[in-house]
Structures are given as C-alpha cells and as structure tokens.
Amino acid sequence: MQEKAAVLGVELNGFGIRDIILPGDIKEIMNQVLVAEKKAQANSIMRREETASTRSLLNTAKLMEENAMLWKLKEMEYVEKIADKISNISVSGNGDLVSQLKQIFVPEIKWNKAGLAADRQPFGPGKQLHW
C-alpha cells in the first residue's frame, strides 16, 4: 500500500476498516451466534446462583440441626410471618391457653448423659396445641 501511496505523493502511516456492511445472511447468523452466547452466559450465571443458594440452605440446615436455639428462632420467624397475615384471633378453651402456648414455644429440655439436649424436636409428642 505504501508503494501506491508514494506514487500519489502521500505518506501512509496506517489504515483500517471503519464500517463493514455484511450480507443479510451473514448478519443474521452473527446475530444468532451473539444471542446464543448471551443465553449461555445467562444460564451459567443462573446455575451458579442456584448452587450458591442450595449451599446456603444446606449450611443453614446444618447449623439449625446443631443448635436448638437457632431452630427456635426460625420457628418464631415463621410464626411471625403467619401472624402478619391474621387480622383477628378468636380463642375458646378451658382457660389453659398460656400453658399450651408455653408447651409449644418453650419445650422441656431433656439432657442425656453427655450433657447434651437429647430432644431437639420442638413439636414432639404431647407438644401439640389443643383448643
């Protein structure tokens, strides 16, 4: 190119291609490739997020299994969510409602020989609320 430019008396330092107009078929194919690449990237991100979410749930479950207090806190969180959806409560019974609620939310802790809580189930036998 420099030889042809020199014939014209022009010194050429560099050149490049600015705008390329592709035929319709090639343009369509390139657009399809671009869309496919973007979909693949989106799928990869979604799988990574799902894996992280599952890992987080597993870690939470392990912690709750090891710690009865965390289990209770999670229960209370669900009770709070349910209570938010209730507009009014009608209670009838034998007047022993407070002790029944205490049985649900403050279960008797049984200790085993190793000094650990033997029963970590908050709603075990005899812990149901009767109205």
Side-chain angles (χ1 to χ4, degrees), residues 15-130:
F15 64 93
I17 299 173
R18 189 168 165 185
D19 290 325
I20 299 175
I21 300 173
L22 298 172
D25 294 343
I26 294 176
K27 186 176 180 181
E28 185 177 324
I29 290 170
M30 289 184 69
N31 284 337
Q32 289 175 354
V33 168
L34 182 63
V35 167
E37 286 175 353
K38 294 299 177 184
K39 282 184 180 179
Q41 288 174 353
N43 285 336
S44 176
I45 291 169
M46 285 181 10
R47 282 193 306 273
R48 194 171 31 235
E49 292 298 322
E50 287 172 356
T51 302
S53 176
T54 303
R55 189 175 297 121
S56 175
L57 284 172
L58 176 64
N59 291 339
T60 301
K62 285 180 181 177
L63 286 173
M64 287 174 55
E65 183 180 32
E66 296 168 0
N67 189 330
M69 184 58 71
L70 287 176
W71 182 265
K72 276 292 173 204
L73 288 171
K74 197 63 169 174
E75 279 182 348
M76 294 303 292
E77 183 181 315
Y78 285 121
V79 168
E80 181 182 21
K81 286 180 182 179
I82 292 168
D84 284 343
K85 298 182 186 302
I86 298 172
S87 61
N88 60 20
I89 299 174
S90 298
V91 178
S92 61
N94 60 2
D96 198 21
L97 181 63
V98 173
S99 66
Q100 290 178 15
L101 288 173
K102 185 177 177 186
Q103 285 179 337
I104 290 175
F105 295 111
V106 186
E108 181 181 329
I109 298 175
K110 297 176 185 175
W111 302 95
N112 63 18
K113 292 178 184 177
L116 300 173
D119 180 22
R120 293 184 181 201
Q121 298 300 321
F123 293 103
K127 303 286 186 193
Q128 290 81 19
L129 180 62
H130 300 287

